[in-house]
Amino acid sequence: MHAWRVLTITLLVALVAACASRDKAPSRPDRDGAPGKRIHASDVKDAVPEPEPRARYGNGPTYEVWGRTYTVMPSASGYRERGVASWYGTKFHGRPTSSGEPYDLYKATAAHRSLPLPTYAEVTNLDNGKKVIVKINDRGPFHSDRIIDLSYGAALRLGYVDQGTARVEVRAITFDDRRADRKLPDDTYLQAGAFKSKDSARSLEKALEKGRVKKVDVDRDSGYYKVFIGPFRQLVDLEDTAARVVELGYERPHTVRR
């Protein structure tokens, strides 16, 4: 084969390969690490603790990883522990956490092996005194020498991104001790859905009633047929009902005033 033909074929192969490489979507990184976009610790806000029902996913009562069985705690009340924290970043960014929420490396979240999902916790770096409040919505770390795995953002707040690990204290923030006697205004309801179609609203109403959710009604408001549950007089009743709706496979209803 003439040299010029060899050169032409070689150039064509290289051109096709280059185009294929350019058109191919970038793959996820094989190794974990910090993002290319560096942010300041002040850009990462504390998670805001609020009463939530247990997530539909990731709450056991037991699960197995790498041949080892882990038990999920029945409650986070009173939990406080000291140990080593690590962090995770780009490899998992955008992927579902164990609770089903997408992992956002820039938010203050964390992974824990046994606390209920979600649990809010205050994490303190014992070497420098820095603190961050995180929402625990994932499982891990599965290394026996670590007690919690923080998001990149949370680790940045605590000042140990470059070191990789830090000695921390983790203290759970719970609502169990004060929710039972917290009273609500008489016009407090849960809204389970809003539909253009009345039939769709009625269908949800019947499904909730079949699932033993009480005091469900449909009302037309601002052009939508809305499905309400309530009213509620105490926070504990509202939270238990919201948890029941989630157990039935629906999104958590939000609190409204009517």
Side-chain angles (χ1 to χ4, degrees), residues 15-255:
L15 179 60
V16 171
C19 291
S21 176
R22 184 170 61 248
D23 294 338
K24 184 179 179 182
S27 60
R28 295 184 183 276
D30 294 329
R31 300 183 63 182
D32 201 6
K37 172 189 173 184
R38 297 300 292 250
I39 60 174
H40 298 289
S42 59
D43 295 327
V44 183
K45 307 303 180 186
D46 284 329
V48 179
E50 59 181 354
E52 292 186 44
R54 287 195 173 206
R56 291 176 60 195
Y57 307 105
N59 277 315
T62 62
Y63 64 97
E64 185 176 312
V65 176
W66 298 340
R68 181 174 176 179
T69 300
Y70 297 90
T71 301
V72 177
M73 297 165 58
S75 170
S77 183
Y79 174 86
R80 185 189 293 261
E81 186 176 4
R82 291 188 173 192
V84 175
S86 49
W87 63 269
Y88 61 126
T90 53
K91 183 176 180 179
F92 303 93
H93 185 64
R95 296 184 181 182
T97 60
S98 298
S99 66
E101 296 179 347
Y103 171 60
D104 187 335
L105 62 84
Y106 297 109
K107 291 185 177 180
T109 62
H112 192 278
R113 289 189 291 270
S114 57
L115 283 170
L117 303 181
T119 291
Y120 290 90
E122 180 186 69
V123 185
T124 304
N125 187 330
L126 297 175
D127 294 324
N128 59 22
K130 294 182 178 180
K131 301 177 182 287
V132 65
I133 295 176
V134 299
K135 181 179 183 180
I136 298 172
N137 61 2
D138 206 358
R139 289 293 175 218
F142 299 108
H143 297 273
S144 59
D145 60 339
R146 303 170 190 174
I147 65 169
I148 196 168
D149 212 2
L150 299 189
S151 64
Y152 165 81
L156 189 66
R157 278 281 302 276
L158 293 189
Y160 73 89
V161 162
D162 293 335
Q163 293 88 342
T165 60
R167 296 188 313 114
V168 300
E169 179 178 88
V170 182
R171 179 183 65 84
I173 300 171
T174 60
F175 305 85
D176 296 344
D177 298 332
R178 50 185 171 171
R179 71 172 190 153
D181 59 353
R182 179 175 166 187
K183 299 190 182 304
L184 301 170
D186 293 341
D187 58 350
T188 303
Y189 288 75
L190 288 171
Q191 181 179 312
F195 305 89
K196 284 288 188 181
S197 166
K198 185 176 181 179
D199 290 340
S200 298
R202 290 296 184 193
S203 177
L204 176 57
E205 177 189 28
K206 291 178 182 178
L208 293 175
E209 289 176 341
K210 185 178 180 180
R212 302 190 307 277
V213 177
K214 298 179 180 179
K215 303 177 183 177
V216 186
D217 71 278
V218 174
D219 191 14
R220 197 165 191 272
D221 177 38
S222 302
Y224 288 88
Y225 292 95
K226 298 182 179 180
V227 181
F228 294 103
I229 310 168
F232 296 94
R233 304 287 187 267
Q234 290 186 309
L235 179 61
V236 62
D237 296 329
L238 182 146
E239 290 179 11
D240 289 345
T241 301
R244 178 57 184 160
V245 173
V246 172
E247 288 175 359
L248 292 173
Y250 300 100
E251 294 293 327
R252 174 180 166 83
H254 59 274
T255 305

